[in-house]
Structures are given as C-alpha cells and as structure tokens.
Amino acid sequence: MIAAQLIARFPNGMVSLAILMHVEQATGSYGNAGLVLAVTSIGQAISGPVISRWMGKWGMRPVLLISMVICALAISAIALSPASMPLYITFGFIAGISNPPIQSAVRTIYPKMVTAKQLNPLFALDASLQEIIWIIAPVLITFIVMQISTTIGLWVIVTILVLGGLWFIYSPEVGRVRIPQSRRALGKVLTRPAVLLATIMGFLLIGACAAVEAGVIATFGHSEDGGHGGGLEAGLVLAVFSVGSLIGGLFSGRLAISQWAMARRLLIVTAGLAVIPFFVNPSWAGQPYAIGAALTIAGLGVAPALAVIFAMTTASVKFSDTAEAFGWVATGQLIGAAAGSAVAGFLIDGIGPSGAYIAAAGFAGLGLIIAVLAVRGFPDLRFRDASPLPDTAPIRTVI
C-alpha cells in the first residue's frame, strides 16, 4: 500500500516544476509560468476537499479513476498545446481541479490497516518516504527536462500518473475500506483547530520546499555557457535535502508528539534555510557544498513536521470526516507547492536565485511563528494514539 500510493502520488512532486519550466521555455517568462501555476492551484484548492468528500458518497475507486483520467488528459493537452497562455491556463485549471485525492484515500485507509499504537510510527515512516515525492521527484523531472525536453517531462508525468494510479486504485485495501458518508456540511471540519493548523502548516512547509527547488534550479540548473550541463549538479544538491529529511523522519518515529513538536521541527527547517542566501555566489567554488550542507540541516525537520501534520489530523476528527480533512491538508500542500514555485519564480526574475531561498526561509519562518503563537491548538499525543475519533459512542444509562 505504501509503495502503491507513493508511485500514484509521485506526479504531485513533479507537475509544478514541469509546468513552470515548460511554460517558461515556451513564453520566455517566469511570470507567465507563475500565472499558470496559480490557476492550477485554484483548481487544486477546489478539488481537494470536494473530491475527497465524494469518496464517502460514491466510493473510492470510481472517484479516483475518473479524476485520474481527466487529470492525465489535461496534462497531455499542456504538452501538446502551442505556446498559448489561454490554453495553458485552461488546461492547467482542469489538471488542478481533477487532481486525484490519493493522499486523502491512503491516510483514511491507514488507521484500518494497523493497530492504534503502530499509527504514529507509520505516519513517521510514510512522511520519510514521502520525500521520494517532494524531493526525489523534482530531481528526476529536472534531470529529464534539462537533458531532454519539457514536453517529454510532461509525458513522463502522465505515464506515472496512470500506471501508479491504477496500481493504487485496484489495490485490495482500497476495495475493502468503505468511508462512511459525512453528515457534516462541507468545510465544517475546518472548524477544528488542529485540522486548520495542519492545512496551514502543510501549505507553508511544502511552499518552502518548492521555493528551494526553484532556487536550486536557478542556481545550478544551467552551465556557464548557457546550456543544461548543470542539471546533474542541481539534482545532487536537491538530493542532500532529501537525505536530511529521510534521516529526520526515521529518527522522529520514536519521539512522542507534544504540542511544541511542530515548532521545534520547523525551527530546524527555518534555521537551515535562513543562511542559504548568504552562500549564493556563483564565483565561489564552495557554493554547492555550503548550500548542500544548509539544506541537509533544514531537511532534518521536514519529514518530522509532516508526521506531526498527519498524526494531528487523524487524531482530531471522526473516521467519516478523515477523507475530507486530509483533502484540505492535501490542498494546502499542493497549493503550497505551486505558491512556493510561483513566488520563487517572480523573485528569481527580480533579484536572482537568492530570492528563491529568501522566499523558502520566509515560508518556513512564518510557519514557525504560527506554530508558536497557536501552540494550544496542537493536540498533545504523548499519552494517546493518533486513531480517529469514533463516529459513535456508548450512551451512559441509569438502571
């Protein structure tokens, strides 16, 4: 199940950068590319909670299959379209609004697959492996785009989306778990402080990661003669970010999640990212090593912070509301990826690669501030598991 959902969600870590680079190369402007990403993010904002909620009404398999097909067709259309902003905007919106809610589905299934005590370690493991999506996937798409073309990169995304999606959709666990239809109004789940905070934290954390990716591409993605020879160096620098996150995620699985867990983990991310703008100097031979070291430190807090997001969401809602809750969380992360790339793109156009790292530190720093100010809204899971709240409860009677 972990492998299937990772492959199915792999395109989420590729599509923002692929569209960013495809539109930038076609139109010659990072600003235009950022506009297409913004429209795509609007579609994702609409689709996340709505389509996730539909899984409780019509079942996971039909909803996932139909949305996957529409999304694949929209991304294919972007690859085939001429350099036209109206077409890019239209198909980008369709791709965003039809994004399959794989994350919502698998997060809903997990509590039914393991015991309550195993749930926190499972979320930590899943958060670590999720780095394959948010870190390794951009490395792969960057290499493909730099060495071949942006069009081929989009076709690779479509292929993985379809094959991974079919693998996950027809997994036995997806057929066995039935999500009860929520009785609450759409969006009501956001009135729970933990769900709202998880959505905001996901937006800011993934936004920081996306800005880092754009900054690394701008810093190392092109060789001195204007070619694409630096693509491999960009991939290696991003890879050390992944290594740090994997180490942090695996270690955090043994740690209890307190109300201050998010603030502590975001402090590590912010500290690592805040020093990078001082290392952006193309004439300095040690630049890749300095940026790589800072990213390794920052990465130590990424997967642990994601583990907190998953655990606090599950522990704060009823099982019938978990799909919608994770739909909002997924929406926050996907919009964060698009927003981070878009903001970084505009700053790269304005002040150069250092602007992207400033944006990344800004996203993470804002998350840290919110985590400190709203610490009472985070659940204390040191003395309880992360299982969803029961949809029914025993009624105390007097005999």
Side-chain angles (χ1 to χ4, degrees), residues 219-220 224 233 278-291 353:
T219 306
F220 304 106
E224 295 181 0
E233 190 174 41
F278 300 102
F279 300 146
V280 181
N281 182 357
S283 62
W284 181 32
Q287 177 184 243
Y289 304 101
I291 292 179

Side-chain angles (χ1 to χ4, degrees), residues 355-383:
Y357 303 116
I358 294 172
F363 273 93
L366 180 57
L368 172 60
I369 293 171
I370 294 174
V372 171
L373 296 179
V375 66
R376 293 181 180 274
F378 291 85
D380 191 341
L381 301 180
R382 290 176 296 175
F383 310 109

Side-chain angles (χ1 to χ4, degrees), residues 303-360:
L306 288 171
V308 175
I309 290 172
F310 303 151
M312 66 189 286
T313 302
T314 302
S316 303
V317 298
K318 295 180 179 180
F319 180 65
S320 58
D321 292 325
T322 52
E324 183 187 341
F326 278 114
W328 287 107
V329 173
T331 290
Q333 293 181 2
L334 290 169
I335 295 176
S341 295
V343 171
F346 280 110
L347 289 178
I348 291 169
D349 279 345
I351 63 177
S354 63
Y357 303 116
I358 294 172

Side-chain angles (χ1 to χ4, degrees), residues 218-229:
T219 306
F220 304 106
H222 297 277
S223 59
E224 295 181 0
D225 60 2
H228 299 309

Side-chain angles (χ1 to χ4, degrees), residues 207-218 238 241 273 276 295 340 344 356-357 359-361:
C209 292
V212 166
E213 292 155 8
V216 170
I217 290 171
L238 285 174
F241 193 21
L273 296 179
I276 297 180
L295 286 178
Y357 303 116

Side-chain angles (χ1 to χ4, degrees), residues 93-105:
F93 178 77
I94 295 173
I97 202 170
S98 61
N99 187 65
I102 302 294
Q103 176 171 286
S104 302

